C-alpha cells in the first residue's frame, strides 16, 4: 500500500507543470527539448556567469577579466605591495627581507611576473613618473602601483583590462614617453640599459646551496629526494649543507615549502657553525653546585635562517633567545621558526642593546651570535640591493660613506655590549659586508675591551683559505669569503673567553653529560683518597663509629 502511494505521488510530480523543487534541475550547459530530453546548448546560448563585485570593481564596471588579463592585473598589485615594503625598509635602513625573499614568499601568487616588475621598476620608472607630475595628493599613497603600471605602459605591456590607475596613466601615455626621452637626454645616454646601476661584480654562475633542516629530515633522506631531479654533493665545510647546480630553482620544491631544507648560502651557513653550540649545554654554580641549563642568544636574528640553524645544531635541545627590534622583521622571524619546527627558540621583540646582562633571563647566556645590520655589500647582487636607492651610498670602494660610518659605530656598540654578559664564553661577530670599516676595523677597536673581559680571537674554520686583512694582530684567525670567487662577501670573527678569566660563579661549564661524568669522577677520587688515608682506622674501629672527615 505504501509503495503504491509513493509511486502515484512521483507520477503526479513528473506530470505537473508548476516548478518542481523536489527534482534535480537540468545542467547549465544543456537545454530541455520538446521531447523532454536534455541536449547540449551552444556556447553562445549559455547563460553568462554572474560577475562578482570584485571583478566589477577592478575593471571599472565593465566585463570581467579573464586569463592573462586577470593575471597581469593582480601581478601589478602584488608587485606594488612588494615595492612598497622594499622602499620603506630601505628608507629606514631596516629591510624586512631581500627583494627575492619578499617576492618568493607564499603570499605572492604570480612570482615570476611580480619579480620582473619590481626589478625593472626599481631600475628606472620612478624618475620618469615623478617627471610627469602624476603623483598628486589623490595618488600619492599608490605611488608604487603607479610605478608598476607605468613600466607596463612604457615598454609595450599595457592591457585593455584596466582599473582606475591604469586608465589614468593610459591617458597620459605621451607624457610618460616624453619624460623618458628627456631623462635619456639629461643623462647623456642613448639606451635605457645605460641608466641601470653598474655593478663591479663578476657574473660567474655560482652553485645553489641548501641546508638540510635536521629538525625535520636527516641529510641522507634529503639527498635521496633531491637526487631524483638534480646532481647533489655534500659540502666539505658545513655539516648538512648540500651543493646543487647553478640556477637551480627550488622555491616551489616540497622540501622547501615544508621547511625540510632551507635555501642558504655557504658563507651564511658558516656563521652558526662557527659558534658551535652544544646540545644540552649546562652551567654549574660553584657556590651551590647547582646544575642549571645555559642559553644561546641570537642578538639580531631576523629573518631567522641562522637562528634555526643554531636550533638544528643543538638538536632542538637547550634554549635559544632570538632577539629582534623591528616589528615587521619579528613576524618574519616567527614564521621562519614555525616553518623550521624549532621549538627551542624563544623570540623576543626587544632591542639587544637594552638587554640587561644581570637579569636572570640573560645571566645564563653562554654563547652569542651577533650578526648586526650592515651595508649588505657582500650579498648586494644576490639580494638585488644594487637596485635600491641607498646602494649608491656604498659604491665607493674605500668604504668611507656616512652610512658606513654610522653602521660601524652601531656594530662596535653591539659587540661591546656582548662582552658584558657574565656567563658568555663564545661570541661570533659576522657581517655580509666587504668593507674593512665594518669588519677588521670594528674588531680592532674592541680588542682592548675584549681582553679586559678575558676574551681573545680564536680560529674560525681553520681549513678555509681566505683570512682577514692584515691590519691587526690575530687577523689570521678571522675569516673572509670573496665576492667573486665564492659568490658572497662575508666576514666572521670568533671571540673565546679564557678558562681562567671566567667569572668564578660560572667557572665550570659543561654539557649535562660531561658535567655529571666529571662530578662522578671527582666523588670517586674523594672516596678513594679517604679510604687509603683511613685504612688503619677502619680496621680498628667498626664502620658505624667512623665519622666522615672533610
Amino acid at each position: 500500500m505504501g509503495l503504491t502511494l509513493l509511486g502515484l505521488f512521483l507520477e503526479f510530480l513528473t506530470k505537473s507543470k508548476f516548478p518542481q523543487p523536489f527534482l534535480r534541475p537540468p545542467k547549465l550547459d544543456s537545454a530541455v527539448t520538446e521531447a523532454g530530453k536534455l541536449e547540449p546548448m551552444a556556447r553562445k546560448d549559455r547563460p553568462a556567469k554572474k560577475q562578482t563585485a570584485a571583478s566589477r570593481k577592478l575593471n571599472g564596471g565593465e566585463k570581467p577579466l579573464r586569463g592573462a588579463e586577470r593575471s597581469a592585473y593582480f601581478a601589478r598589485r602584488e608587485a606594488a605591495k612588494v615595492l612598497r615594503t622594499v622602499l620603506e625598509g630601505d628608507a629606514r635602513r631596516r629591510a624586512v627581507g631581500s627583494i627575492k625573499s619578499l617576492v618568493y614568499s607564499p603570499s605572492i601568487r604570480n612570482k615570476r611576473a611580480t619579480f620582473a616588475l619590481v626589478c625593472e621598476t626599481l631600475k628606472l620608472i620612478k624618475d620618469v613618473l615623478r617627471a610627469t607630475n602624476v603623483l598628486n595628493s589623490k595618488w600619492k599613497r599608490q605611488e608604487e602601483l603607479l610605478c608598476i603600471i607605468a613600466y607596463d605602459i612604457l615598454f609595450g605591456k599595457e592591457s585593455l583590462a584596466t582599473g582606475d590607475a591604469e586608465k589614468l596613466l593610459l591617458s597620459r601615455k605621451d607624457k610618460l614617453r616624453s619624460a623618458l626621452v628627456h631623462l635619456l637626454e639629461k643623462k647623456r645616454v642613448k639606451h635605457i640599459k645605460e641608466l641601470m646601476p653598474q655593478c663591479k661584480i663578476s657574473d660567474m654562475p655560482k652553485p645553489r646551496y641548501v641546508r638540510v633542516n635536521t629538525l625535520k629530515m636527516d641529510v641522507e633522506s634529503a639527498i635521496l629526494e633531491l637526487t631524483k631531479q638534480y646532481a647533489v654533493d655534500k659540502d666539505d665545510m658545513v655539516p648538512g649543507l648540500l651543493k646543487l647546480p647553478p640556477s637551480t630553482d627550488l622555491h616551489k620544491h616540497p622540501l622547501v615549502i615544508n621547511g625540510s631544507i632551507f635555501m642558504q648560502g655557504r658563507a651564511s651557513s658558516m656563521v652558526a657553525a662557527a659558534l658551535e653550540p652544544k646540545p644540552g649545554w649546562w652551567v654549574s654554580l660553584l657556590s651551590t653546585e647547582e646544575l642549571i641549563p645555559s642559553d644561546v642568544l641570537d642578538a639580531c636574528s631576523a629573518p631567522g635562517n641562522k637562528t634555526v640553524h643554531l636550533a638544528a645544531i643543538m638538536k632542538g635541545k637547550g634554549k635559544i633567545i632570538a632577539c629582534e627590534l623591528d616589528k615587521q622583521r619579528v613576524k618574519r622571524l616567527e614564521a621562519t621558526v614555525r616553518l623550521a619546527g624549532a621549538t627551542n627558540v624563544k623570540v623576543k621583540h626587544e632591542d639587544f642593546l637594552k638587554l640587561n646582562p644581570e637579569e636572570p633571563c640573560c645571566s645564563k647566556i653562554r654563547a652569542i651570535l651577533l650578526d648586526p645590520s650592515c651595508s649588505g655589500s657582500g650579498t648586494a647582487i644576490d639580494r638585488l640591493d644594487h637596485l635600491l636607492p641607498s646602494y649608491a651610498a656604498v659604491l665607493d670602494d674605500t668604504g668611507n660613506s656616512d652610512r658606513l660610518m654610522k653602521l660601524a659605530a652601531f656594530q662596535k656598540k653591539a659587540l661591546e655590549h656582548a662582552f658584558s654578559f657574565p656567563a658568555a664564553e663564545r661570541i661570533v661577530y659576522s657581517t655580509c659586508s666587504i668593507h674593512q670599516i665594518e669588519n677588521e676595523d670594528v674588531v680592532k677597536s674592541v680588542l682592548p675591551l675584549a681582553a679586559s673581559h678575558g676574551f681573545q680571537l680564536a680560529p674560525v674554520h681553520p681549513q678555509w683559505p681566505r683570512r682577514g686583512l692584515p691590519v691587526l694582530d690575530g687577523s689570521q684567525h678571522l675569516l673572509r669569503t670573496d665576492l667573486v670567487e665564492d659568490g658572497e662577501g662575508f666576514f666572521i670573527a670568533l671571540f673565546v673567553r679564557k678558562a681562567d678569566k671566567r667569572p668564578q660563579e660560572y667557572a665550570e661549564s659543561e654539557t649535562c653529560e660531561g658535567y655529571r661524568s666529571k662530578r662522578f669522577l671527582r666523588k670517586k677520587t674523594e672516596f678513594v683518597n679517604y679510604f687509603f688515608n683511613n685504612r688503619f682506622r677502619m680496621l680498628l674501629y667498626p664502620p658505624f663509629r667512623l665519622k666522615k672527615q672533610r
Side-chain angles (χ1 to χ4, degrees), residues 206-207 209 234-238 241 243 265-271 273-274 431 433 440 458-469 475-493:
K206 67 175 185 177
Y209 284 95
K234 284 185 178 181
D235 182 68
D236 56 359
M237 184 72 61
V238 180
L241 191 65
K243 178 181 176 182
R266 189 186 195 193
S268 175
S269 302
M270 289 181 184
V271 177
T431 71
S433 171
E440 286 87 357
V460 181
H461 300 297
Q463 65 273 39
W464 184 255
R466 281 173 280 284
R467 315 312 297 182
L469 301 178
S475 61
Q476 70 276 11
H477 297 317
L478 307 176
L479 182 147
R480 268 184 174 268
T481 62
D482 187 79
L483 190 55
V484 176
E485 295 187 25
D486 305 315
E488 294 175 302
F490 269 69
F491 173 85
I492 306 175

Side-chain angles (χ1 to χ4, degrees), residues 330-475:
V330 166
K331 293 180 181 178
R332 181 94 186 280
L333 171 62
E334 290 173 340
T336 303
V337 171
R338 284 194 300 270
L339 180 64
T343 56
N344 60 330
V345 175
K346 179 183 178 181
V347 177
K348 289 178 69 71
H349 181 198
E350 194 169 346
D351 186 356
F352 165 66
L353 294 176
K354 294 182 179 179
L355 289 181
N356 184 1
E358 303 301 328
E359 291 183 357
C361 63
C362 300
S363 61
K364 300 180 294 182
I365 292 174
R366 185 173 174 185
I368 300 175
L369 191 155
L370 178 61
D371 185 37
S373 298
C374 68
S375 63
S377 53
T379 58
I381 297 305
D382 205 31
R383 292 167 48 90
L384 303 179
D385 288 348
H386 61 290
L387 301 178
L388 298 175
S390 63
Y391 185 74
V394 294
L395 284 178
D396 183 12
D397 285 338
T398 60
N400 291 323
S401 71
D402 291 339
R403 185 192 175 202
L404 287 181
M405 297 291 286
K406 292 178 181 178
L407 285 170
F410 165 74
Q411 292 155 359
K412 177 185 175 182
K413 189 175 182 180
L415 188 51
E416 289 174 341
H417 186 57
F419 293 133
S420 64
F421 286 77
E425 298 175 16
R426 298 174 68 86
I427 298 174
V428 163
Y429 170 74
S430 68
T431 71
C432 52
S433 171
I434 61 175
H435 299 299
Q436 176 184 327
I437 190 174
E438 297 181 89
N439 300 331
E440 286 87 357
D441 288 355
V442 170
V443 171
K444 184 178 180 179
S445 67
V446 301
L447 282 179
L449 179 64
S452 67
H453 286 277
F455 285 94
Q456 62 183 0
L457 287 172
V460 181
H461 300 297
Q463 65 273 39
W464 184 255
R466 281 173 280 284
R467 315 312 297 182
L469 301 178
V471 294
L472 73 157
D473 294 335
S475 61

Side-chain angles (χ1 to χ4, degrees), residues 31-260:
V32 182
T33 63
E34 292 182 357
K37 296 181 179 180
L38 294 177
E39 291 185 356
M41 294 173 61
R43 181 172 294 274
K44 64 181 181 180
D45 297 329
R46 295 178 187 174
K49 291 183 179 180
K50 187 176 180 180
Q51 186 178 354
T52 63
S55 297
R56 287 194 298 271
K57 181 179 179 180
L58 63 85
N59 199 25
E62 300 176 1
K63 61 182 180 179
L65 303 180
R66 298 179 183 276
E69 296 176 351
R70 185 179 183 87
S71 178
Y73 180 92
F74 283 108
R76 294 185 196 120
R77 269 67 187 172
E78 289 180 332
K81 290 180 181 179
V82 172
L83 188 61
R84 177 180 292 275
T85 303
V86 168
L87 293 177
E88 287 179 350
D90 185 59
R92 300 194 313 265
R93 302 296 189 264
R94 284 188 176 275
V96 176
S98 68
I99 297 172
K100 277 187 176 181
S101 63
L102 290 172
V103 169
Y104 284 96
S105 65
S107 61
I108 302 298
R109 292 175 293 182
N110 195 340
K111 291 179 172 54
R112 291 185 181 275
T114 302
F115 184 71
L117 284 172
V118 171
C119 292
E120 297 300 329
T121 301
L122 282 170
K123 289 177 182 177
L124 177 65
I125 301 303
K126 204 166 185 179
D127 292 336
V128 175
L129 192 62
R130 286 173 177 171
T132 61
N133 296 321
V134 175
L135 300 173
N136 54 31
S137 58
K138 178 181 178 182
W139 293 100
K140 184 65 177 177
R141 293 185 177 181
Q142 299 190 48
E143 179 181 358
E144 293 78 16
L145 175 59
L146 293 179
C147 288
I148 296 293
I149 298 171
Y151 172 79
D152 274 354
I153 292 175
L154 283 173
F155 297 100
K157 299 179 181 179
E158 64 207 73
S159 173
L160 294 178
T162 57
D164 293 339
E166 285 87 349
K167 287 181 179 179
L168 171 70
L169 292 184
L170 279 172
S171 66
R172 304 191 183 189
K173 186 196 307 185
D174 294 337
K175 289 185 177 181
L176 290 173
R177 290 179 176 173
S178 297
L180 178 60
V181 172
H182 179 70
L183 181 62
L184 294 174
E185 292 175 352
K186 184 179 179 180
K187 298 288 186 180
R188 297 181 181 180
V189 297
K190 296 181 179 180
H191 198 273
I192 295 172
K193 291 183 178 179
E194 298 178 46
L195 290 176
M196 307 306 180
Q198 298 299 315
C199 303
K200 306 173 185 179
I201 299 170
S202 172
D203 292 329
M204 292 177 58
K206 67 175 185 177
R208 161 69 71 186
Y209 284 95
V210 297
R211 179 181 57 79
V212 181
N213 179 17
T214 51
L215 297 174
K216 286 191 171 183
M217 172 179 276
D218 62 88
V219 177
E220 297 305 324
S221 298
I223 293 175
L224 186 63
E225 187 67 26
L226 291 172
T227 49
K228 295 178 181 178
Q229 297 176 295
Y230 313 103
V232 182
D233 294 317
K234 284 185 178 181
D235 182 68
D236 56 359
M237 184 72 61
V238 180
L241 191 65
L242 305 179
K243 178 181 176 182
L244 283 74
S247 303
T248 301
D249 188 0
L250 295 172
H251 288 91
K252 295 184 179 180
H253 197 281
L255 295 184
V256 174
I257 294 173
N258 65 23
S260 296

